[in-house]
Amino acid sequence: QVQLVESGGGLVQPGGSLRLSCAASGNIFSILDMYWYRQAPGKQRELVAVILSDGFTNYADSVKGRFTISRDNTKNLVYLQMNNLKSEDTAVYYCKGRRIGLSVDYWGQGTQVTVSS
């Protein structure tokens, strides 16, 4: 019912910036809570940032002050602006949507972010 597609990943040097985008299909985007996760090889998938349908945002301690999550409900897009990137940010980044009141999660395919000199 809902398909999510991430884009914007790539190779960047430490201290650089990237903006990830997650595009959602369908007509229920505005009532979805949206999340960015990441997973590095050999590590657990971790929550990076959340933006709820009411605008509430929260971030993992490791990215506070560097990453910003936002959404544009007119375009069915959620963004993750990543500044001052560090090598520890290297991971596959995944977009997730959750419909209010339901237990069903929608996941994107992921986009690779590599921070390296």
Side-chain angles (χ1 to χ4, degrees), residues 18-115:
L18 285 174
R19 188 178 74 164
L20 305 183
S21 298
C22 176
S25 67
N27 59 2
I28 63 170
F29 177 77
S30 64
I31 65 172
L32 299 178
D33 296 332
M34 300 300 299
Y35 306 78
W36 284 101
Y37 287 80
R38 67 186 182 188
Q39 187 166 26
K43 298 184 65 178
Q44 289 184 289
R45 185 171 298 184
E46 64 174 338
L47 177 63
V48 175
V50 56
I51 183 165
L52 304 184
S53 61
D54 66 359
F56 171 85
T57 60
N58 201 10
Y59 302 88
D61 288 342
S62 59
V63 307
K64 284 181 179 177
R66 299 189 297 120
F67 290 11
T68 302
I69 189 170
S70 61
R71 65 193 297 162
D72 185 341
N73 288 343
T74 69
K75 299 179 179 179
N76 281 17
L77 290 171
V78 61
Y79 304 100
L80 186 68
Q81 178 66 47
M82 305 186 295
N83 298 325
N84 192 24
L85 283 160
K86 307 176 184 297
S87 60
E88 308 94 87
D89 297 318
T90 296
V92 177
Y93 284 71
Y94 297 91
C95 177
K96 184 185 81 173
R98 174 172 287 187
R99 187 170 180 177
I100 297 172
L102 299 178
S103 61
V104 176
D105 292 334
Y106 307 98
W107 289 90
Q109 84 291 341
T111 185
Q112 176 72 49
V113 173
T114 302
V115 184

